Amino acid sequence: MMAEQLKTGWPQRVERQQDVIDTVSRILSEVEHEGGAAIRRWSAQLDHWEPESFVVSADRIKAAAETVDEELAGHLEFARAQVESFAQAQRATLTDLEVETMPGVVLGHRHLPVSKVGSYSPGGRYPLIASSIMTVTVPKVAGVDTVVAVAPPRDANGIYGPQLYTMNLAGADVILCLGGVQAFAALAFGIEDVPPVDLVVGAGNAYVAEAKRQLFGTVGIDLLAGPTEVAVIADETADARLVAADLLGQAEHGPNSPALLVTTSRDFGTAVIAEVDRWLEGDWPTKEVAGAAWREHGTVVVCESREEVVQVSDAYAAEHLEVQTAEDDWYAANLRNYGSLFIGPEATVAFSDKSIGTNHVLPTARAARYTGGLWVGKFLKTVTYQRLTADGARTIAPSTAAIADAELMHGHALTARLRNS
């Protein structure tokens, strides 16, 4: 029996739109050649934002703190501490290496932090406060010297108050109020007294993703993220209403956010579809957005066996993957393509999105086949070194010279033989 689709909608490809490509290319080119004048022009045109300086002042940061009540401030500090703690634990696993591979030949590697990082926090439909925690706190744990945090203006005052407060709380060294493509251009080419960064990270819309694609090489990037995705593997032991809620919870990101259920029970798949409908007919808080996403991009697949479930799930390679079955440990051991895995009915994606400690910047559009998400290691360069004695050099030189000669690279061969005398 082949997998049966009770509902189909998950996009198999994310198409790049030519108008997006052309617009991004134009903005980046103008900023590269004109500098701040082009940034100011595009900011005024796209965001109606043309301040005296795009660098957020200390007074504005202080004012933003007054918009955050004590309870929310405590929750934000809790989330920051969890992300910092997990990043520190990850960093501790990355140790430097030095080994003598043969007498007189010492090889090693070191993990060195990137010098300057640009962190973008989206502010479109939702001002993503937690994004700053993920993309500012973690590079600071890695040892990055300067993190330039950027977010678009929310209103005439600039960055949304709680978002600005969180950028500062997370440890940003400089904060810019800029949106979209012009923000990434400012990070890549510099603006005012803020020099260009080495690496840019953070999610955004199609224009942001295209900006990162076109800037790659000028700067490093974390990954190219598309619409948020969620997949749930569940069987008849799961709570259909809870699974339906988790599917809609991620679908509220946008009307193009796909949601997938993979199950071994046709009855359970039908029950989840019915529960989604009940939520949308009832009091689901973001039904307009989540409902559109489910109608266009909701998918339910019924499989004959757990092995087929794994095969189907790995083919989708979802950004977020929940497992709610009677065999959670077996699935956790056998699944391999996902951005982040949520094991058991208590592990909802929202926990990771906001405050549990793992990073919410994750691969989409099947990129989980070949990469994981953002983590402390992304902000480190693993660089190698070699140290040789004269005896060690004489051991290595003959093979090096012979291979170089065979490649017709006789200069390489000469430099090797000079150390074999």
Side-chain angles (χ1 to χ4, degrees):
M1 175 181 175
M2 297 295 290
E4 174 190 6
Q5 294 203 354
L6 298 183
K7 185 182 186 306
T8 304
W10 187 291
Q12 295 303 306
R13 291 190 60 188
V14 177
E15 299 288 346
R16 295 171 66 198
Q17 298 177 325
Q18 192 60 48
D19 61 331
V20 174
I21 296 171
D22 293 343
T23 298
V24 170
S25 179
R26 179 184 173 189
I27 294 173
L28 295 181
S29 178
E30 291 182 8
V31 172
E32 183 176 13
H33 291 93
E34 300 177 43
I39 293 173
R40 185 166 293 279
R41 183 170 63 249
W42 281 106
S43 179
Q45 178 177 329
L46 298 177
D47 288 332
H48 309 292
W49 180 248
E50 195 175 6
E52 182 177 338
S53 173
F54 291 108
V55 177
V56 180
S57 68
D59 287 344
R60 174 64 189 127
I61 294 172
K62 183 178 178 180
E66 297 174 359
T67 69
V68 178
D69 62 42
E70 185 176 343
E71 181 180 1
L72 177 56
H75 291 312
L76 290 169
E77 172 54 26
F78 171 85
R80 188 208 63 78
Q82 303 320 300
V83 171
E84 179 183 62
S85 176
F86 186 64
Q88 288 172 337
Q90 288 182 309
R91 179 64 182 89
T93 70
L94 299 172
T95 58
D96 291 349
L97 169 70
E98 185 169 285
V99 58
E100 188 173 26
T101 58
M102 60 181 65
V105 178
V106 174
L107 308 180
H109 73 224
R110 297 177 63 200
H111 300 293
L112 302 178
V114 172
S115 295
K116 296 183 290 294
V117 166
S119 156
Y120 185 76
S121 294
R125 178 178 285 108
Y126 309 109
L128 297 186
I129 298 171
S131 184
S132 298
I133 299 174
M134 309 293 172
T135 59
V136 176
T137 303
V138 178
K140 296 309 291 186
V141 170
V144 172
D145 292 329
T146 303
V147 176
V148 182
V150 190
R154 185 74 175 177
D155 53 32
N157 292 317
I159 298 171
Y160 180 58
Q163 189 173 31
L164 177 55
Y165 170 83
T166 306
M167 296 163 88
N168 185 61
L169 174 70
D173 298 287
V174 182
I175 300 176
L176 299 174
C177 183
L178 274 169
V181 178
Q182 60 270 23
F184 280 86
L187 291 170
F189 301 118
I191 184 173
E192 298 176 14
D193 293 328
V194 182
V197 302
D198 305 305
L199 172 70
V200 294
V201 300
N205 60 19
Y207 289 90
V208 165
E210 183 60 30
K212 290 164 72 175
R213 188 193 308 273
Q214 293 189 26
L215 285 169
F216 179 64
T218 300
V219 291
I221 65 172
D222 48 358
L223 44 79
L224 296 171
T228 293
E229 306 163 352
V230 63
V232 180
I233 293 172
D235 61 19
E236 65 280 355
T237 67
D239 181 332
R241 186 170 184 271
L242 191 66
V243 169
D246 283 359
L247 292 169
L248 290 175
Q250 287 300 301
E252 78 176 0
H253 272 275
N256 56 353
S257 291
L260 167 70
L261 169 65
V262 187
T263 181
T264 51
S265 168
R266 194 178 197 282
D267 288 345
F268 183 79
T270 301
V272 170
I273 293 173
E275 291 294 344
V276 169
D277 291 340
R278 287 192 187 95
W279 277 118
L280 294 175
E281 291 165 2
D283 57 358
W284 189 261
T286 51
K287 65 175 68 178
E288 183 176 340
V289 175
W294 175 253
R295 286 189 296 273
E296 296 298 321
H297 302 296
T299 299
V300 177
V301 180
V302 180
C303 297
E304 184 176 42
S305 66
R306 64 184 188 177
E307 288 78 14
E308 189 176 42
V309 168
V310 168
Q311 183 180 15
V312 168
S313 177
D314 280 349
Y316 279 96
E319 177 187 14
H320 307 99
L321 178 58
E322 295 186 3
V323 177
Q324 300 183 30
T325 72
E327 301 177 284
D328 291 349
D329 290 343
W330 183 88
Y331 281 105
N334 285 276
L335 291 160
R336 62 188 305 160
N337 293 347
Y338 51 82
S340 193
L341 185 64
F342 303 81
I343 305 166
E346 304 304 327
T348 183
V349 172
F351 288 161
S352 177
D353 274 350
K354 308 305 178 186
S355 65
I356 204 170
T358 50
N359 207 293
H360 76 193
V361 179
L362 299 167
T364 65
R366 302 187 69 232
R369 293 172 297 128
Y370 56 81
T371 189
L374 191 63
W375 72 299
V376 71
K378 185 64 182 180
F379 302 100
L380 300 168
K381 303 172 293 180
T382 303
V383 294
T384 58
Y385 62 87
Q386 308 84 36
R387 184 184 297 115
L388 288 80
T389 65
D391 288 342
R394 281 190 286 271
T395 303
I396 300 296
S399 295
T400 299
I403 293 169
D405 279 337
E407 294 173 338
L408 307 182
M409 300 185 75
H410 302 303
H412 280 64
L414 177 60
T415 63
R417 291 194 174 97
L418 286 172
R419 290 163 172 82
N420 195 30
S421 54

